[in-house]
Amino acid sequence: SSRVVAIQSQMSERAVELLGLPEDRPCLLLDVGCGSGLSGDYISDEGHYWIGMDISPAMLDVAVEREVEGDLLLADVGHGIPFRPGMFDGCISISAVQWLCNADKKSHSPPKRLYRFFSTLYTALARGSRAVLQLYPENSEQLELITAQAMRAGFTGGMVVDYPNSAKAKKFFLCLFVGASGTLPKGLGTECADGEEIQQAKFTNERTRFRNAKGKSVKKSRDWILEKKERRRRQGKEVRADTKYTGRKRRPRF
């Protein structure tokens, strides 16, 4: 497990680096899914303060035993972040946020839980600060679900992908800005051999996605309808099967 610890520390270091904290003063950070406090140790070493939230009492017990410097809170972040507005100078999370995509209970709706998490996180963060969430998405749909809810909650930013060409070292960091939109940091290892850069994922305003070449909205187009139906299926809603007639225009009269 020492390798796990090493990877964890490395990712914590990278997450804190992506926060772009001021050099001259200690900051208060929120660590979401803090576990046994490994990322917290790095935050403390850097001279900052932290509060960690985790859903696992066992993990928090380990953190207490290890006498970490941060304060610990046993909580499910899918219920929201229970701190006063503007309290934190930043938030990091190492391999935790993807768990909000799982519906462990019948009553759990992943989109709702993600939105609750992001909207309350947005409020708890100081204006101009950042949240950097390292996550292991299962697939691109999950990535889209997570980023869509973050945008809905008011964040700007995007996905920073380190070492995108390496199966082993590839890491996803959702880098979110509160208020003033910064420039998205570059992913590590994104320079190609010929110095070309790999395009980073940026958030586009979702509404502009379905436009045809003339700039007309293609809302109600077949692609738009299929995507909407797919979204609703993911939310567990009843949706009619797709057929060759989906999205076809009807003639004005039969």
Side-chain angles (χ1 to χ4, degrees):
S1 80
S2 63
R3 186 163 174 275
V4 174
V5 172
I7 291 174
Q8 184 93 3
S9 312
Q10 215 177 334
M11 292 193 300
S12 312
E13 206 170 316
R14 177 69 171 137
V16 172
E17 179 190 332
L18 289 169
L19 280 180
L21 298 170
E23 310 258 308
D24 51 351
R25 62 181 178 87
C27 294
L28 177 62
L29 304 182
L30 176 66
D31 185 352
V32 167
C34 62
S36 58
L38 291 173
S39 29
D41 289 344
Y42 179 74
I43 294 171
S44 300
D45 291 346
E46 290 291 287
H48 300 297
Y49 300 98
W50 58 280
I51 295 175
M53 292 178 73
D54 205 282
I55 199 168
S56 159
M59 291 295 264
L60 292 177
D61 286 345
V62 176
V64 171
E65 258 164 56
R66 292 180 57 247
E67 299 186 342
V68 297
E69 290 183 27
D71 291 320
L72 305 167
L73 177 66
L74 175 66
D76 173 358
V77 296
H79 294 159
I81 304 293
F83 292 101
R84 60 187 168 76
M87 180 162 153
F88 294 100
D89 303 306
C91 166
I92 69 162
S93 178
I94 307 299
S95 3
V97 175
Q98 72 274 1
W99 297 114
L100 286 171
C101 295
N102 300 351
D104 301 324
K105 298 194 174 79
K106 191 82 186 83
S107 60
H108 280 182
S109 147
K112 279 192 186 136
R113 285 168 58 73
L114 282 160
Y115 179 69
R116 178 105 188 104
F117 164 64
F118 282 120
S119 54
T120 52
L121 176 62
Y122 188 89
T123 305
L125 285 165
R127 304 302 90 177
S129 66
R130 294 181 188 182
V132 176
L133 316 170
Q134 179 272 327
L135 43 99
Y136 288 111
E138 267 179 34
N139 47 40
S140 57
E141 285 83 30
Q142 218 177 61
L143 218 48
E144 231 167 73
L145 174 65
I146 292 170
T147 47
Q149 296 305 325
M151 300 303 105
R152 231 189 104 204
F155 285 105
T156 55
M159 198 61 73
V160 174
V161 185
D162 282 357
Y163 308 111
N165 301 326
S166 154
K168 263 210 171 102
K170 186 177 187 178
K171 292 284 178 292
F172 292 89
F173 293 87
L174 182 55
C175 195
L176 301 172
F177 305 110
V178 181
S181 180
T183 23
L184 202 58
K186 293 208 180 351
L188 300 174
T190 51
E191 298 281 327
C192 299
D194 50 6
E196 280 285 300
E197 276 185 22
I198 293 163
Q199 283 306 300
Q200 290 289 33
K202 290 271 200 317
F203 285 118
T204 54
N205 190 332
E206 281 293 283
R207 281 152 203 261
T208 59
R209 272 228 328 278
F210 293 100
R211 295 233 183 272
N212 64 15
K214 296 202 175 83
K216 264 202 357 243
S217 169
V218 275
K219 208 163 183 180
K220 305 285 189 285
S221 69
R222 183 175 165 84
D223 287 344
W224 181 87
I225 291 169
L226 290 176
E227 183 161 308
K228 178 157 184 179
K229 287 172 80 171
E230 191 44 52
R231 264 207 314 274
R232 293 182 74 81
R233 278 190 201 104
R234 284 207 298 276
Q235 294 165 353
K237 300 201 169 81
E238 289 273 309
V239 181
R240 279 192 187 176
D242 302 331
T243 70
K244 64 177 186 179
Y245 301 111
T246 303
R248 272 212 196 165
K249 284 270 184 291
R250 285 184 185 221
R251 287 253 218 23
R253 41 176 230 280
F254 290 111

